[in-house]
Amino acid sequence: MLIGREQEQAKLKAAYESEYSEFVAMYGRRRVGKTFLVREYFNYKFTFSHTGVSNKNTRGQLQEFYLSLKRQGAKHIVLPTNWSKAFDQLISFLESSSDKRKVVFIDEMPWMDAPRSGFVSALEHFWNGWAAARRDILLVVCGSASSWIINKVLKNHGGLHNRVSTRIHLKPFTLHECESYAKYKKLGYSRMQIAEGYMVMGGVPFYWSKIDKSKSLAQNIDALFFSQDGEFRYEFDELYASLFSAPDKYLKIVEALGTKRAGMTRGEIVKHSGLEENGQLGKMLENLVYCGFVRKYCSIGKKVKDALFQLVDNYTLFYFQFIKGMPSADECYWSKMVGRPKYNTWCGLAFERLCLLHVRQIKAALGISGILADVYSWYSPDAQIDLLISRADNVIDVCEIKYSRLPYSITSSYREALLHKMQRFSESLAANKALQLVMITSNGLKTNQYSDIVNAQLTIDDLFHR
């Protein structure tokens, strides 16, 4: 059953109902549900479908493609010796089909492009020389190696330049979608528990599919991440290897970013990772941003060249914090950790990331969805603001984010710290804009003599909006 994905389904619907041939390219991180979405949407009915196979050379890939054609009804074909002949056989097969709309689904396409295979040029010829000249072809391609999809298809400067008519970046679930999935699985979790699960796993559907409803959230995290044979204990290396052809360099960037909560400039990344400052570094950072692992943002008032790169992938950060370097498996580690200082500190930081990943919902809750607004952060030697929403109506929402099990209480000293922070930030502004303090808390704000400085307050419920 498909949960959420309304916008992505609408794009597939529009491509299917188009009066012209359409080229759809879908990308996204491992386990995010690309294959599931396409198969479910088209009810597993394709004129032709094929999945590339990992770790096979060109000859092996061609043999698998040939077998897919035979299994799906192609007749009088021989094993092709190159990709041009393979796509020519596909053309003959599609021309013989009586399907009014011929849907071709090629999954894990990056694996098909072995070194010096000529795959991309053959794909270009298939699309430009045949499919694009017709009105009845819908080609859907996807793969976990997002950097390949991005660089070889979406940013192709050759024959595929601007040929993709629909691009779908399949992102992890939002909290709303996770809640819908939790209800579908009858997990019985509260919103606080769903949020904590999100802070550990992000919104990756496959991770959520492994939750056992007979266990508590803490027990599930123990079983999946901390038991000796836990399914996600060894996920980290596989995750980055599946996404990028040269994962070692990407891992150096990610590990460097994992050491600094607020993010790093390119210069700082070079210093901490040992990589060279060149075009390749820029491309790798761009790919990490495309895949949703890294957030690129500017501090307000700073130039684009001073942009910061911040690691925001929940699973990766959880791995660095609690799994990497553990000498042995304690199968009840997480259950024992809950409520301890290290756990409480992690909750505070992870909740901040949760909010950064749900800015659209925050804007909706503030009633400013229709107002043009830019999102920033701001740092000074003695103060920092993780989320600023600078609005076109000359207002800046200064968002203060706090996680607590009970309604959050502003103390006298914290009120003074907030006022100091607002004053320092106001002094740094070149433009004269009104500042509004927004408190985003997990369980609401306790009203007392110090809470009058807050202009608006949001709770975890607001993050669950569609």
Side-chain angles (χ1 to χ4, degrees), residues 345-366:
T345 300
W346 169 80
C347 282
L349 297 176
F351 185 63
E352 288 177 8
R353 287 195 301 274
L354 190 70
C355 293
L356 292 174
L357 293 170
H358 289 79
V359 172
R360 179 172 60 80
Q361 287 78 7
I362 291 171
K363 290 172 66 177
L366 291 171

Side-chain angles (χ1 to χ4, degrees), residues 31-43:
R31 318 271 208 183
V32 81
K34 300 179 294 297
T35 303
F36 182 78
L37 170 60
V38 175
R39 288 176 175 170
E40 284 285 317
Y41 182 80
F42 290 106
N43 199 26

